[in-house]
Amino acid sequence: QVQLVDSGGGLVPPGGSLRLSCKISGRSSNTWTMAWFRQVPGKEREFVAGNRRSGETSYYLNSVKGRFTMSRDSAGNAMHLQMNDLKPDDTAVYYCATTPRRLITSSVRFSSEYDYWGRGTQVTVSS
């Protein structure tokens, strides 16, 4: 049984920073595809960042490029999302997700490709 526990959300002013973490228990590997998504009420879940394998390039939503950085540990049991220069539009519930499959690059952004999800952590950017 694979379980993901995401944490690190909170309330920050515009321009602030947060670091989200996701611990993976059960079975996992540094070859699994991992990603972060976010969702606001009334909207579809949105891809934020993804990585197909530890040590490879990460992919980002255009609006977070240069501000967010995804990382993952080499053992494959944790991932992180460093979020800097946060903006009110970044307010959402953030979810970590993973799948044992090595997705093709163009599929990394699709939530339907992921098999395991965290419960979400709220990020609120407001003054």
Side-chain angles (χ1 to χ4, degrees), residues 1 11 22-23 26 37 39 41-42 48 54 58 60 64 67 71 85 92 95 100 110 122:
Q1 182 75 12
L11 172 63
C22 178
K23 290 187 177 181
F37 290 79
Q39 190 170 24
V48 176
S54 180
S58 294
Y60 297 94
V64 308
R67 300 188 297 120
S71 61
D85 189 23
Y95 299 88
F110 294 118
Q122 176 70 47

Side-chain angles (χ1 to χ4, degrees), residues 4 22-24 27-37 47 49-54 57-59 70-80 95-103 108-109 114 116:
L4 281 66
C22 178
K23 290 187 177 181
I24 306 168
R27 61 184 179 92
S28 64
S29 167
N30 61 6
T31 63
W32 288 23
T33 302
M34 296 182 178
W36 290 94
F37 290 79
F47 170 79
N51 179 282
R52 298 194 299 161
R53 181 175 294 194
S54 180
T57 300
S58 294
Y59 306 96
M70 178 178 176
S71 61
R72 49 190 289 176
D73 72 356
S74 58
N77 54 20
M79 68 176 101
H80 310 278
Y95 299 88
C96 56
T98 189
T99 175
R101 293 172 294 121
R102 178 174 168 80
L103 300 178
V108 170
R109 63 188 180 94
Y114 293 85
Y116 305 104

Side-chain angles (χ1 to χ4, degrees), residues 20 23 25 33 38 43 46 53 57 60 86 89 91-92 95-97 100 104 112 114:
L20 305 184
K23 290 187 177 181
S25 61
T33 302
R38 66 187 182 187
K43 292 191 175 181
E46 176 181 54
R53 181 175 294 194
T57 300
Y60 297 94
L86 282 160
D89 284 349
T91 296
Y95 299 88
C96 56
I104 59 174
S112 59
Y114 293 85

